């Protein structure tokens, strides 16, 4: 159920021509009905398909307000309600500002959960612990058994702001996590580019663009061809995508060292810590003058690592070979 013109679970890419009957378009949903009934809490495979046609197709309906397009069967809409005046659950309840509690995508086909949250139908299908209370109507969605850590993955971008003097947990340059103090806040600008070899980076500094004086002239125009000096000292061709202003936090550890970190790399004392953080969490209290902070520093280059765009993974060319070809 994709927003606007694309319909979630539709067969538009399956080579099947949509059938129009009585002016309504019908296609076969790609999501099997068992995906709506089988959950981690239930193995009941007694399929209930009251809103599917005998040939397995389902009518496509569009919300008259937000224009989200869905299969009636996927969204749980009975045939008598699948009219031109139909509105999705979110629009019916005038909750357009609500987003999915399980992902960061805005809009789409959402249903109300059982705790005043909202969730995409597809997210409810994909998350093992989620369960449709009324399977035929796909609502409400029981999210009570979803682990807190999974919600934290979604809520990370909406975490509370930190303030100077606040005690938090962050990663030291030696690779371990310690309590530290937020000493200052600052906005930092990062650039996003797509490299010629199909990889991309979204954490470039303005000075990494060597074909333009970005500190004086500002960011390039979207789509402009630029030259980027990478951490290996080499210059690579790329196209500029966007500029992002990120809130940064300067934290100070007990050994007096300071680091500038993003919110995603900081945890308050009240937040649930991921397992990878718990496994490397150390207590530095009363050890200010010991060698606890003097472990071998971990290379930070991986934070600036170029990421291969999934669309081009099979076409990726190693940088050395790429340069040889270009020469």
């Amino acid at each position: 159920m994709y927003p606007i013109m694309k319909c979630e679970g539709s067969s538009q890419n399956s080579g099947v021509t949509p059938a129009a009957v009585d002016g309504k378009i019908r296609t076969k949903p790609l999501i099997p009905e068992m995906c709506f009934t089988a959950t981690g809490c239930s193995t009941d495979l007694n399929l209930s398909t009251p809103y599917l046609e005998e040939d397995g197709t389902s009518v496509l309906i569009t919300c008259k307000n937000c224009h989200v397009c869905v299969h009636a069967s996927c969204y749980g809409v009975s045939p008598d309600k699948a009219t031109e005046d139909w509105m999705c659950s979110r629009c019916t309840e005038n909750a357009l500002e609500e987003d999915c509690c399980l992902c960061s995508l805005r809009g789409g086909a959402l249903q109300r959960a059982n705790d005043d949250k909202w969730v995409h139908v597809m997210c409810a299908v994909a998350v093992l612990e989620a369960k449709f209370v009324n399977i035929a109507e796909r609502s409400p969605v029981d999210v009570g058994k979803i682990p807190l850590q999974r919600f934290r993955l979604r809520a990370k971008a909406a975490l509370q702001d930190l303030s100077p003097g606040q005690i938090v947990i962050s990663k030291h340059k030696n690779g371990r996590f310690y309590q530290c103090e937020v000493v200052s806040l600052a906005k930092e600008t990062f650039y996003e580019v797509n490299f010629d070899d199909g990889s991309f980076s979204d954490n470039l500094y303005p000075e990494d663009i060597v074909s333009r004086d970005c500190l004086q002239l500002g960011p390039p125009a979207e789509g402009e061809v630029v030259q980027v000096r990478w951490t290996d000292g080499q210059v690579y061709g790329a196209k500029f995508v966007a500029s992002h202003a990120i809130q940064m936090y300067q934290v100070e550890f007990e050994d007096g060292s300071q680091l500038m970190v993003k919110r995603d790399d900081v945890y308050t004392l009240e937040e649930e810590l991921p397992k990878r953080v718990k496994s490397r969490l150390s207590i530095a209290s009363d050890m200010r003058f010991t060698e606890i902070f003097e472990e071998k520093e971990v290379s930070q280059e991986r934070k600036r690592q170029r990421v291969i765009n999934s669309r081009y993974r099979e076409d990726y060319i190693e940088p050395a070979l790429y340069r040889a070809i270009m020469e």
Side-chain angles (χ1 to χ4, degrees), residues 13-308:
N13 295 324
S14 63
V16 179
T17 302
V21 180
D22 299 330
K24 297 181 179 179
I25 297 178
R26 292 173 170 80
T27 62
K28 290 185 178 180
L30 295 179
I31 307 300
E33 183 66 20
M34 66 178 299
C35 292
F36 295 97
T37 59
T39 69
C41 307
S42 171
T43 56
D44 181 15
L45 297 182
N46 184 19
L47 305 184
S48 174
T49 58
Y51 305 146
L52 280 177
E53 305 291 340
E54 293 183 358
D55 59 357
T57 62
S58 177
V59 63
L60 292 172
I61 54 177
T62 301
C63 175
K64 73 171 186 178
N65 186 43
C66 70
H67 305 293
V68 66
C69 179
V70 298
H71 277 115
S73 61
C74 292
Y75 200 73
V77 180
S78 60
D80 60 303
K81 295 180 180 180
T83 65
E84 293 182 356
D85 294 329
W86 175 79
M87 288 200 303
C88 67
S89 299
R90 191 172 61 150
C91 290
T92 299
E93 300 192 27
N94 195 26
L96 285 176
E97 294 185 358
E98 297 293 337
D99 294 318
C100 180
C101 65
L102 297 179
C103 78
S104 299
L105 297 178
R106 302 183 62 184
L110 293 104
Q111 290 282 23
R112 180 178 285 280
N114 59 350
D115 57 354
D116 290 331
K117 292 185 174 68
W118 289 82
V119 59
H120 286 121
V121 174
M122 281 305 302
C123 289
V125 170
V127 175
L128 183 65
E129 298 85 359
K131 179 181 179 181
F132 294 100
V133 177
N134 186 318
I135 296 176
E137 296 183 359
R138 316 298 194 218
S139 178
V141 181
D142 184 0
V143 297
K145 295 186 178 181
I146 298 178
L148 179 62
Q149 184 60 31
R150 193 183 298 273
F151 282 110
R152 189 176 186 282
L153 294 176
R154 160 63 176 86
K156 193 66 176 175
L159 291 175
Q160 63 179 12
D161 291 333
L162 306 178
S163 57
Q166 185 172 350
I167 302 301
V168 296
I169 295 173
S170 190
K171 189 176 184 179
H172 191 270
K173 60 185 178 181
N174 64 16
R176 301 194 66 83
F177 289 83
Y178 303 91
Q179 287 192 12
C180 52
E181 180 182 348
V182 178
V183 295
S184 65
L185 287 66
K187 289 283 188 179
E188 191 159 350
T189 300
F190 294 95
Y191 287 173
E192 179 180 353
V193 301
N194 288 330
F195 288 98
D196 293 342
D197 62 3
S199 62
F200 71 92
S201 176
D202 60 1
N203 60 354
L204 293 175
Y205 299 112
E207 53 268 32
D208 291 335
I209 306 293
V210 298
S211 57
R212 176 186 175 90
D213 188 354
C214 296
L215 296 178
Q216 293 292 329
L217 303 177
E222 181 180 354
E224 182 176 334
V225 176
V226 296
Q227 296 292 312
V228 178
R229 186 175 301 281
W230 195 244
T231 54
D232 59 3
Q234 300 294 325
V235 176
Y236 299 92
K239 285 187 178 180
F240 183 78
V241 176
S243 173
H244 306 287
I246 306 296
Q247 180 69 64
M248 302 292 290
Y249 301 88
Q250 188 171 17
V251 297
E252 182 174 323
F253 296 90
E254 289 192 14
D255 65 343
S257 64
Q258 295 185 351
L259 287 178
M260 190 69 75
V261 295
K262 297 180 181 180
R263 182 62 179 90
D264 286 350
D265 300 322
V266 182
Y267 303 87
T268 67
L269 302 184
E270 295 78 24
E271 292 174 5
E272 180 72 17
L273 298 178
K275 291 182 180 179
R276 63 176 180 82
V277 175
K278 289 182 179 179
S279 65
R280 300 190 63 80
L281 182 62
S282 298
I283 300 177
S285 300
D286 300 326
M287 300 182 184
R288 184 184 299 272
F289 303 106
T290 67
E291 297 181 353
I292 189 170
F293 290 102
E294 297 180 2
E295 299 180 32
K296 183 178 180 181
E297 293 188 10
V298 178
S299 172
Q300 299 298 314
E301 183 174 332
R302 61 180 305 190
K303 290 187 176 181
R304 304 288 307 286
Q305 182 178 2
R306 285 162 62 178
V307 183
I308 304 301

